[in-house]
Amino acid sequence: MSTANAPTGRGVCRCSGLSAQSRSLERVQELHDAPLAPLTTFRLGGPATRLVTATTDAEVIAAVREADDTGTPLLLIGGGSNLVIGDKGFDGTALHIATRGLSLDGTTLELAAGEIWTDAVARTVEAGLAGVECLAGIPGSAGATPIQNVGAYGQEVSSTITEVTAYDRRSGETVTLTNSDCGFSYRHSRFKAEPERYVVLRVRFELENADGLSAPLRYAETARALGVQPGERVPLTEARDTVLKLRAGKGMVLDPEDHDTWSAGSFFTNPILTDEEFAAFRARVDERLGTGAEPPAFPAGEGRIKTSAAWLIDKAGFTKGYGTGPARISTKHTLALTNRGGATTEDLLALAREVVTGVREAFGVTLVNEPVTVGVSL
């Protein structure tokens, strides 16, 4: 949840009052040689030299400043749903952002970075507000949503986020970035592009009051499950409940008893190819699967086409449940790599590398991991 040194974009509003927030960490929970695996949905990774848990923005800022002033490596942890931490752990300070705060003012929603995202979505549906109902069931914290530009089932947070309040480690100030300042694109943002610069503190959304109806459905699978056409609206609760059912069927709703959910959700992003790259990919598909095979293809901007990582993985021979060790592909969805219990991070990475190599050899497409890796890489 942090992001690196680059010029501040135009339109960034600088806010005052930080001196009052910069206070000592005497009351902050601090542990040494602290296990990090329990803070991640993978339940993997070694310990941190030091673990600090912050429950207010002031505590977050103070902990970040202390690390920066002393040159201590800093790892930010929210809900831990998008982290792959190496078996050796993290030699530095891990800062667990556990801030709380949810405010609904008309159609405006403001969330503290540490708010549980699934709970926030439930509150908006209860309030009759549309815009994030198809993002129900996504694990993690609110502060992570703009970093990854979280999206699923036809919705992305970039369509409803109006501004993000963050601590700028470069200037030492709190700044407010507008939607355009955030540089959103598919599973990407300015925060992800500058991973050592910003620490998200609060996120503001503008939702829609559509008299209890959802936003227009933009994902074919959701529309089919609801018995309507894409573009139609349905009652908010029906949209949310249907998405939760679809996600649960793919092992994408956290359940401590279900090892298919001991994952980071989708481990790979859907590849976006140029027209030329897609033509070469199609030729490889024809060669491998025959001329009747039709790979998924979705417009992704001028001269660019998005295809399905799950399809690529499956057609390359990595089917549901693939693997013999403690790290395997989910039995419910080929896009999720899972810890079956007792796995190490190296077990997981070995499986991920096998999948990446197999897809590249089969189709000439290189998959990119979605989770953030700490102390390791593919």
Side-chain angles (χ1 to χ4, degrees), residues 84-304:
V84 178
I85 299 173
D87 292 318
K88 293 183 179 179
F90 182 71
D91 185 12
T93 295
L95 173 58
H96 182 207
I97 298 178
T99 54
R100 292 290 183 266
L102 183 154
S103 172
L104 266 175
D105 182 8
T107 56
T108 300
L109 169 69
E110 183 169 296
L111 299 174
E115 275 293 324
I116 299 171
W117 176 250
T118 54
D119 293 349
V121 173
R123 285 285 302 276
T124 66
V125 172
E126 290 169 5
L129 299 177
V132 295
E133 63 279 1
C134 291
L135 303 180
I138 294 178
S141 62
T145 61
I147 297 171
Q148 194 72 5
N149 186 16
V150 165
Y153 295 97
Q155 290 183 344
E156 288 183 331
V157 293
S158 58
S159 65
T160 51
I161 288 177
T162 56
E163 61 184 40
V164 176
T165 301
Y167 175 64
D168 184 345
R169 297 169 68 182
R170 179 182 175 187
S171 67
E173 297 179 292
T174 294
V175 297
T176 299
L177 293 89
T178 66
N179 182 287
S180 59
D181 295 326
C182 292
F184 289 125
S185 60
Y186 174 65
R187 300 299 173 269
H188 197 70
S189 69
R190 180 175 182 177
F191 310 106
K192 193 171 182 179
E194 303 179 67
E196 301 299 327
R197 182 169 182 182
Y198 296 104
V199 180
V200 174
L201 300 174
R202 292 183 299 280
V203 188
R204 181 171 291 182
F205 303 79
E206 187 60 32
L207 305 176
E208 178 189 8
N209 186 342
D211 295 323
L213 296 179
S214 70
L217 298 173
R218 306 200 181 282
Y219 199 70
E221 183 183 15
T222 313
R224 283 196 304 270
L226 285 160
V228 299
Q229 294 297 314
E232 293 187 39
R233 297 176 185 260
V234 298
L236 274 167
T237 54
E238 290 186 17
R240 182 209 44 205
D241 292 349
T242 297
V243 165
L244 286 173
K245 184 176 180 180
L246 290 171
R247 289 186 64 86
K250 299 174 183 177
M252 299 291 185
V253 177
L254 292 182
D255 179 352
E257 303 302 318
D258 181 1
H259 283 281
D260 277 326
T261 72
W262 290 30
S263 74
S266 299
F267 196 88
F268 300 103
T269 58
N270 290 322
I272 296 178
L273 309 175
T274 64
D275 288 341
E276 183 178 343
E277 289 169 339
F278 190 80
F281 163 56
R282 277 300 311 271
R284 296 285 286 270
V285 170
D286 290 347
E287 179 183 335
R288 182 180 179 90
L289 304 177
T291 55
E294 287 293 336
F298 309 95
E302 186 175 354
R304 295 165 71 81

